[in-house]
Amino acid sequence: MSPDPVRLHVVTGKGGTGKTTVAAALALALAADGRSVLLVETEGRQGIAQLFDTPPLPYEERRVAVTRGGGEVKALAIDAEEALLDYLDMFYNLRRAGRALRKMGAIDFATAIAPGLRDVLLTGKIKEAVTRRHDGRPVYDAVVVDAPPTGRITRFLGVTAEMSQLARSGPIKTQSDGVMAVLRSPQTAVHLVTLLEDMPVQETADAISELTKADLPVGSVIVNMATEPVLPADGLALAARGRLTGEDLAPALAAAHLHGGPELAGALAAEVTEHAQRWAGQDALRDEVEALSRPVVELPLMTGPMDLGSLFELAARLEEHLQTEVAA
């Protein structure tokens, strides 16, 4: 297997699609076989800490999981204030002055009146993690970002380009150009998490269109929480057409010694019909997802609470998908 050129994996999706869970599972998949991966949270919800059952993440890279072959996942919750202090220190040697500004509340004020500044700082920190090197080698084999939802993702990733246009020269322009060079390069992929439901699929299609227009590289579409049909194909088609009745089910119920008569049979037939029609609708949405012309992987609906074992199960599916994509 040839090495995957993608080192920055940005994971987005409509709210409720499980993008944080998918980002965590993707980080585990990428860390297999001794690789080092950084998982970055950008929205301050501490969802990653909850998934890995750890204390709330500080603005500090901490190990949250060990994978096959001694690989490890570290996690970081990016704090806009701390990122600004890093920025002032890196380009202006003004960390001490930045701390004074924070005590005065100036940083909170600046990020409140200029929301785009927060995104500039977040993407700047992400770029720093991707390009950071030690002894000539990248510190991380991959960086995975639990990014803002699809409705905001193009603006989040593209705001630094706007900053570059405003600053004609100097360190701000240099930093902005450096960030966009990484985000628009082959080493970045924006993955979109969706469900087989109308609104998430439509938002995914819209986001792909916006990202493409902004010259941002689109990766895979990840269909999350996919379910399997409970009926064989012929019964599924019959029920989806509304042609299954209680009378059809009555002999099987009697053979199984289930009592309830026509009332039970009718209720079960109605449930089966609803399931079959929902499945038919999902199949139609699968066609829409395939029509987006992006690599697609489906992750199963996990029953029970999401724990580390469940994350590793999802990671195995994603690892297989990644290997297929690299081989292709």
Side-chain angles (χ1 to χ4, degrees), residues 22-321:
V22 171
L26 179 59
L28 291 173
L30 290 164
D33 296 327
R35 290 186 286 270
S36 178
V37 174
L38 178 64
L39 176 58
V40 177
E41 180 171 285
T42 61
E43 296 185 280
R45 294 183 294 107
Q46 291 294 339
I48 290 171
Q50 293 172 32
L51 282 171
F52 287 98
D53 195 23
T54 66
L57 297 172
Y59 185 68
E60 176 186 317
E61 294 157 24
R62 288 190 176 178
R63 188 169 70 180
V64 292
V66 176
T67 64
R68 184 180 70 240
E72 68 172 10
V73 175
K74 288 186 177 180
L76 167 70
I78 300 183
D79 176 81
E81 286 192 3
E82 292 292 343
L84 180 54
L85 291 179
D86 277 353
Y87 182 87
L88 291 173
D89 184 42
M90 189 179 305
F91 292 101
Y92 298 100
N93 197 26
L94 288 175
R95 176 171 286 271
R96 184 174 297 177
R99 285 178 176 152
L101 288 172
R102 181 169 61 177
K103 286 180 182 176
M104 295 165 54
I107 294 178
D108 275 342
F109 178 72
T111 53
I113 64 168
L117 175 60
R118 182 178 184 278
D119 291 348
V120 167
L121 295 169
L122 296 181
T123 52
K125 181 60 180 177
I126 290 165
K127 178 258 184 183
E128 185 276 327
V130 172
T131 57
R132 192 188 312 162
R133 303 180 81 82
H134 180 70
D135 291 337
R137 295 177 55 82
V139 171
Y140 292 108
D141 296 293
V143 174
V144 178
V145 180
D146 177 20
T150 45
R152 217 165 64 75
I153 188 62
T154 305
R155 168 73 177 165
F156 171 73
L157 295 175
V159 70
T160 307
E162 297 175 16
M163 181 68 72
S164 177
Q165 291 172 3
L166 291 173
R168 299 300 179 91
S169 62
I172 292 178
K173 179 171 177 55
T174 301
Q175 166 72 350
S176 300
D177 287 346
V179 170
M180 292 314 300
V182 169
L183 293 180
R184 287 177 169 154
S185 75
Q187 68 181 314
T188 295
V190 183
H191 307 295
L192 298 106
V193 183
T194 188
L195 304 179
L196 290 175
E197 297 175 3
D198 290 325
M199 287 188 66
V201 170
Q202 185 58 56
E203 278 206 20
T204 298
D206 292 343
I208 288 175
S209 176
E210 291 173 4
L211 289 164
T212 303
K213 286 178 184 174
D215 294 324
L216 291 162
V218 179
S220 297
V221 176
I222 302 168
V223 177
N224 197 22
M225 298 186 244
T227 56
E228 296 293 330
V230 296
L231 292 175
D234 330 349
L236 204 61
L238 184 70
R241 293 195 300 269
R243 313 235 345 237
L244 186 72
T245 67
E247 290 181 5
D248 297 320
L249 297 180
L253 293 175
H257 305 290
L258 292 174
H259 305 289
E263 188 177 335
L264 175 61
L268 285 174
E271 282 194 27
V272 170
T273 298
E274 182 184 347
H275 167 77
Q277 290 174 344
R278 186 167 61 246
W279 181 258
Q282 287 184 352
D283 254 1
L285 288 169
R286 274 190 177 88
D287 292 341
E288 289 187 29
V289 170
E290 292 291 342
L292 296 173
S293 301
R294 301 306 312 156
V296 178
V297 59
E298 288 196 11
L299 299 180
L301 175 66
M302 308 299 291
T303 56
M306 184 60 62
D307 56 16
L308 196 55
S310 301
L311 282 177
F312 271 108
E313 189 174 334
L314 296 177
R317 298 281 189 110
L318 289 169
E319 188 179 351
E320 183 180 344
H321 171 70

